[in-house]
Amino acid sequence: QVQLVESGGGLVQAGASLRLSCAASGRPGSRAPMGWFRQTPGKEREFVAAISWNGGSTYYADSVKGRLTISRGNAENTVYLQMNNLKPEDTAVYYCAIQMYNSGSVYNIASYDYWGQGTQVTVDS
């Protein structure tokens, strides 16, 4: 069983920065693609960013390009989301996910096998 734990959310003013962290545990020796999604009440969970198993490729939603950066940590299956110039519309619960067995598109929610519990990001205008 793989477990993911996110951290780093909080309440900030518009224009501020936050860094989210996610660490996956439970299946050592197997680096996998990882992604960040976000969800607001009454809306579907949406893709934010993803990164390949070796960090060589990154993918972003158009709404966050140039402001958010995904990266991998040195530890196996850790990922970060650096969020700069935050806007009120970035307010959401952010979820980390890992594509441990699936090989589908990194943009697709159904391609991910395990999810974290989510961390709240609130951007006040």
Side-chain angles (χ1 to χ4, degrees):
Q1 184 71 13
V2 176
Q3 294 181 325
L4 292 90
V5 178
E6 303 107 330
S7 61
L11 170 62
V12 297
Q13 297 294 313
S17 298
L18 277 177
R19 189 193 195 205
L20 305 184
S21 300
C22 174
S25 61
R27 197 168 185 268
S30 181
R31 295 176 73 89
M34 299 183 72
W36 287 96
F37 290 73
R38 65 188 182 186
Q39 188 170 23
T40 55
K43 294 188 177 181
E44 293 186 354
R45 194 168 296 187
E46 65 174 6
F47 171 80
V48 175
I51 190 165
S52 61
W53 68 273
N54 62 354
S57 297
T58 56
Y59 312 85
Y60 296 96
D62 288 342
S63 60
V64 306
K65 284 180 181 177
R67 299 188 300 115
L68 275 58
T69 303
I70 189 170
S71 60
R72 299 194 74 109
N74 291 329
E76 188 174 82
N77 290 332
T78 60
V79 67
Y80 304 101
L81 187 66
Q82 178 66 42
M83 302 190 294
N84 297 329
N85 189 24
L86 283 162
K87 302 177 180 181
E89 51 264 43
D90 294 318
T91 295
V93 177
Y94 284 72
Y95 296 91
C96 171
I98 190 167
Q99 201 173 26
M100 190 63 75
Y101 305 108
N102 205 312
S103 60
S105 168
V106 296
Y107 296 95
N108 190 342
I109 289 176
S111 297
Y112 294 84
D113 304 293
Y114 298 98
W115 293 81
Q117 81 288 352
T119 184
Q120 177 71 46
V121 171
T122 302
V123 184
D124 191 355
S125 58

